[in-house]
Amino acid sequence: MKDAINMTVRILPPKKDAVHMTVRILPPNLINQIAAGEVVERPASVVKELVENALDAGATHIDITMNEGGRSLIVVSDDGAGMDDRSLALAVERYATSKLPDDDLIDIGFFGFRGEALPSIGAVARLKITSRTREGSSAWYVMVAGGRRDGPVPAPHPRGTRVEVRDLFYATPARLKFLKAARTELNHAVDMLNRLAMAHPYVAFTLNADGRTRLSLDAEIGDLFDARLARLGAVVGKDFIPNAVPVDAGRDGFRLTGYAGVPTYNRRNALAQYMFVNGRPVRDRLLHGAVRGAYQDFLASNRHPYLALFLECPPQEVDVNVHPAKAEVRFRDAGKVRGLIVGALKHALSEAGHQASTTVSDAALGAMRPEGARLPQRASNSLFSAAQAGQAPLHSTGPGTGLAESQMNYDGAPTAAVIEGDDEASADFPLGVARAQVHETYIVAQSEDGLVIVDQHAAHERLVYERMKAMLADKGINRQLLLLPEVVELDEAAAQRLVDRAEELAELGLVLEAFGDGAVVVREVPALLGETDVQGLVKDLADEVSDFGEALALKDKLADVCGTMACHSSIRAGRRLGGPEMNALLREMEHTPHAGQCNHGRPTYVTIKMTDIEQLFGRR
């Protein structure tokens, strides 16, 4: 113990070497290797830089070859403008570029404006560039290996440029250890090429990997919207074309175009969301956040839409120089951009009406297909031509034309499983006429050319939700006084959270107040909810308010709150409906926006064409 008390603290002197350190400029080869570390992350980075140079040169056809995932060989050939011997010699020097004619870093109209790509590649690999201009009588080539240049020297070559990169990272062998398997590196390059191809539909792209054609995209024709859709179908998949709605909106010099998938056409991750700013593919949190905000009414938090959006804006409004690989951008007015994206997507989805994904019907047919049978591909079709053509909303001409009226008879009216009706009437409505209710959960309707199967709970949930939103935007939600106020028992903290939000809940039509410790009493509910489970509704809302946090206003999470209310008030599975009630539901779906999916992104109905039914039974 005494030894511990008598211990003294001794400060070590600084190392002598540190005292005598001097500042020096790094040798050029090391400078280039450091720069290459920022620009050349992997083979896909090399392909990206070389393809962007080809696009800047006005190429209409770009051929790429990769061996061993790009580790041993990368070749990019184009039919662009080409370079003469003087430009070729300067192109492999650092900070040499033809993309900044006015030396203005704010006004950037090309991809390769930094002048770092070619010298960086030459610092870590064996680089050979052969190029010929349109007017040139001969081509020239230059070689760079480990930072050392040879040339330019005359060479035979057609008009355009061919860049050959061999033995990537041979000059920095430690970086080879960080490369993934050849297939993984090739997949990164394919993904990058697909993104560039989407932004340039008039350019043809081919990729050959280890002697096999991995990518082949012909140049598209027609106007830009048609060409883009055709290219997106070739890259994303043919299912994207019938399930995408056009996006076209502008504001204060910004223009947003592209295509967005209907909500029921979704996936588990955001890998099918493609964003472009002035033709440059980017991965930006602001843009992805805006997409999430636009789809929050239609998709569960773990589902993501397919879409490709192209934002055009003045170069002064966006900084593309904030990331070494130029994969991120920064906007001068981020709020304006977010508002444009959210507004444009919501408008486009509203224009889609009650359209649901065609893949839903395909999945249904696959489930009905006998084991071992194979259905031929069917042509894409649309049940919604009348609705999409801008015709007036369709309403039922029979009794019970409104759901509010028909709900009063649900409990007392006797119903039958099969409904007789006029066969000709089905041609008048996109969703057909109800013919039966299956398991008191699904409505089977006969349309002009097939069947429509509707999930009654999911469909009504969407209808109630859209009504609540419309009322809130108009004059507010009407409230209905409960004859017998209902007491809901909760834990003390949950009850207090609801009481603290009582004023906000009242704006949404739910009036409650404290009722002792750990309980609230509900006195009024939204009138359109009708007969609802007040206990379940309040308990679910208590859980949601807990998730929102103290600082977030309920109006900022309006979609979640209204969605919870709509779910509790909807026609439940197992509820027997009569013919008028079923038809009233179908008619309201036809003129309600987004009726093709419930609030969680699940489809509300499935269409099965008569031709597909005939194929199931071998009639075709």
Side-chain angles (χ1 to χ4, degrees):
M1 193 69 177
K2 291 182 179 180
D3 293 339
I5 294 175
N6 294 328
M7 285 177 62
T8 59
V9 177
R10 184 167 62 92
I11 300 176
L12 295 175
K15 293 183 179 180
K16 293 183 179 180
D17 293 344
V19 175
H20 299 290
M21 286 177 63
T22 57
V23 178
R24 66 187 180 93
I25 296 177
L26 295 173
N29 66 318
L30 192 56
I31 293 174
N32 289 338
Q33 289 176 6
I34 293 172
E38 296 180 349
V39 178
V40 185
E41 179 186 1
R42 62 194 330 151
S45 307
V46 175
V47 176
K48 172 181 178 293
E49 297 290 347
L50 299 182
V51 171
E52 287 182 344
N53 282 343
L55 292 170
D56 283 340
T60 59
H61 196 110
I62 303 175
D63 295 311
I64 304 99
T65 299
M66 299 179 70
N67 289 345
E68 298 182 49
R71 185 192 305 250
S72 62
L73 177 67
I74 298 173
V75 179
V76 176
S77 302
D78 68 68
D79 60 352
M83 294 179 283
D84 58 23
D85 56 338
R86 178 181 175 277
S87 296
L88 195 58
L90 287 174
V92 294
E93 298 291 339
R94 290 199 70 193
Y95 310 126
T97 182
S98 61
K99 318 297 174 61
L100 288 176
D102 300 322
D103 296 335
D104 186 357
L105 265 180
I106 301 300
D107 188 8
I108 295 172
F110 298 91
F111 291 114
F113 60 90
R114 288 180 168 184
E116 293 179 319
L118 293 178
S120 295
I121 295 168
V124 295
R126 305 183 196 278
L127 174 68
K128 180 180 179 181
I129 308 174
T130 307
S131 188
R132 179 179 178 180
T133 62
R134 291 184 174 89
E135 302 80 15
S137 59
S138 173
W140 299 81
Y141 83 84
V142 65
M143 298 181 66
V144 182
R148 296 185 178 183
R149 191 186 77 185
D150 180 20
V153 177
H157 191 268
R159 186 183 68 186
T161 302
R162 182 180 190 271
V163 183
E164 182 180 302
V165 179
R166 293 184 179 274
D167 302 327
L168 185 63
F169 296 135
Y170 90 96
T172 54
R175 298 201 57 195
L176 283 173
K177 300 177 182 178
F178 292 93
L179 291 183
K180 305 298 182 183
R183 178 177 295 181
T184 302
E185 297 297 345
L186 177 62
N187 288 338
H188 281 286
V190 170
D191 178 68
M192 182 277 307
L193 284 172
N194 280 333
R195 292 175 184 271
L196 288 173
M198 291 179 195
H200 299 86
Y202 299 123
V203 179
F205 293 83
T206 62
L207 169 62
N208 291 291
D210 300 306
R212 299 179 60 185
T213 300
R214 180 64 187 269
L215 183 69
S216 181
L217 298 171
D218 295 329
E220 304 296 343
I221 58 175
D223 64 35
L224 185 59
F225 259 90
D226 292 340
R228 275 182 178 166
L229 184 58
R231 176 58 59 84
L232 290 171
V235 173
V236 181
K238 292 183 178 180
D239 283 337
F240 183 80
I241 295 177
N243 293 310
V245 294
V247 178
D248 191 357
R251 180 188 300 174
D252 301 332
F254 288 76
R255 188 185 180 197
L256 183 72
T257 58
Y259 289 88
V262 295
T264 45
Y265 184 58
N266 57 59
R267 57 184 294 164
R268 290 182 177 274
N269 55 49
L271 294 180
Q273 294 179 12
Y274 303 98
M275 311 284 188
F276 303 85
V277 177
N278 290 343
R280 187 186 306 277
V282 298
R283 299 178 186 272
D284 190 87
R285 291 183 179 179
L286 168 70
L287 302 182
H288 285 287
V291 170
R292 170 58 66 185
Y295 276 86
Q296 69 176 352
D297 276 6
F298 318 115
L299 288 178
S301 59
N302 63 339
R303 304 301 298 182
H304 303 269
Y306 287 76
L307 55 79
L309 298 178
F310 303 84
L311 179 66
E312 301 292 332
C313 65
Q316 298 82 4
E317 295 295 325
V318 59
D319 186 357
V320 299
N321 198 27
V322 297
H323 189 276
K326 295 167 286 186
E328 298 177 6
V329 295
R330 184 174 299 156
F331 295 98
R332 185 187 299 271
D333 190 344
K336 180 191 298 183
V337 174
R338 189 184 190 281
L340 174 62
I341 293 174
V342 173
L345 286 176
K346 286 190 173 183
H347 176 74
L349 294 176
S350 295
E351 290 294 308
H354 60 271
Q355 181 177 350
S357 168
T358 60
T359 57
V360 175
S361 300
D362 294 336
L365 285 168
M368 288 187 282
R369 181 174 54 198
E371 186 175 357
R374 183 177 183 272
L375 288 179
Q377 286 282 348
R378 64 178 177 86
S380 62
N381 47 58
S382 179
L383 174 66
F384 323 102
S385 56
Q388 290 176 333
Q391 296 181 11
L394 299 171
H395 298 274
S396 172
T397 56
T401 55
L403 284 180
E405 302 169 6
S406 63
Q407 283 181 18
M408 293 187 296
N409 298 322
Y410 285 155
D411 293 330
T415 61
V418 178
I419 303 142
E420 298 294 337
D422 183 4
D423 290 338
E424 298 298 324
S426 61
D428 299 333
F429 308 110
L431 292 181
V433 175
R435 294 294 183 228
Q437 184 186 29
V438 180
H439 293 294
E440 299 180 338
T441 300
Y442 301 101
I443 299 170
V444 179
Q446 178 182 332
S447 63
E448 183 178 14
D449 58 350
L451 296 178
V452 180
I453 304 174
V454 179
D455 182 332
Q456 64 189 41
H457 172 70
H460 195 214
E461 181 180 345
R462 168 56 67 179
L463 299 181
V464 174
Y465 177 63
E466 292 296 332
R467 282 195 221 155
M468 292 187 72
K469 288 199 305 180
M471 288 182 177
L472 283 170
D474 186 15
K475 57 183 178 181
I477 295 178
N478 294 328
R479 301 197 293 254
Q480 174 180 315
L481 183 68
L482 296 179
L483 294 178
L484 296 175
E486 190 151 353
V487 177
V488 183
E489 299 285 345
L490 302 163
D491 64 75
E492 190 170 344
Q496 188 59 47
R497 283 193 295 266
L498 288 178
V499 172
D500 292 341
R501 302 292 188 113
E503 291 186 9
E504 295 174 276
L505 289 171
E507 294 179 10
L508 300 176
L510 186 68
V511 177
L512 54 78
E513 59 189 50
F515 192 77
D517 294 333
V520 296
V521 58
V522 179
R523 301 192 180 278
E524 297 179 62
V525 296
L528 61 84
L529 298 189
E531 194 173 316
T532 188
D533 177 11
V534 176
Q535 294 280 340
L537 172 61
V538 172
K539 289 177 181 178
D540 282 354
L541 285 176
D543 291 339
E544 290 205 9
V545 170
S546 175
D547 293 338
F548 297 162
E550 296 297 327
L552 189 61
L554 287 188
K555 64 182 180 181
D556 295 329
K557 299 293 287 185
L558 184 61
D560 295 325
V561 177
C562 289
T564 299
M565 291 184 175
C567 186
H568 278 273
S569 70
S570 300
I571 302 171
R572 291 293 181 181
R575 190 87 169 268
R576 181 173 295 181
L577 303 179
E581 286 84 2
M582 295 185 206
N583 283 310
L585 182 68
L586 297 176
R587 300 293 78 79
E588 188 162 359
M589 287 177 66
E590 288 168 347
H591 66 81
T592 298
H594 321 302
Q597 63 277 322
C598 73
N599 308 335
H600 312 293
R602 294 190 296 270
T604 58
Y605 69 90
V606 173
T607 62
I608 303 176
K609 296 300 181 183
M610 197 64 190
T611 54
D612 294 326
I613 298 174
E614 291 172 345
Q615 288 170 3
L616 283 173
F617 290 96
R619 289 180 173 270
R620 280 181 177 253

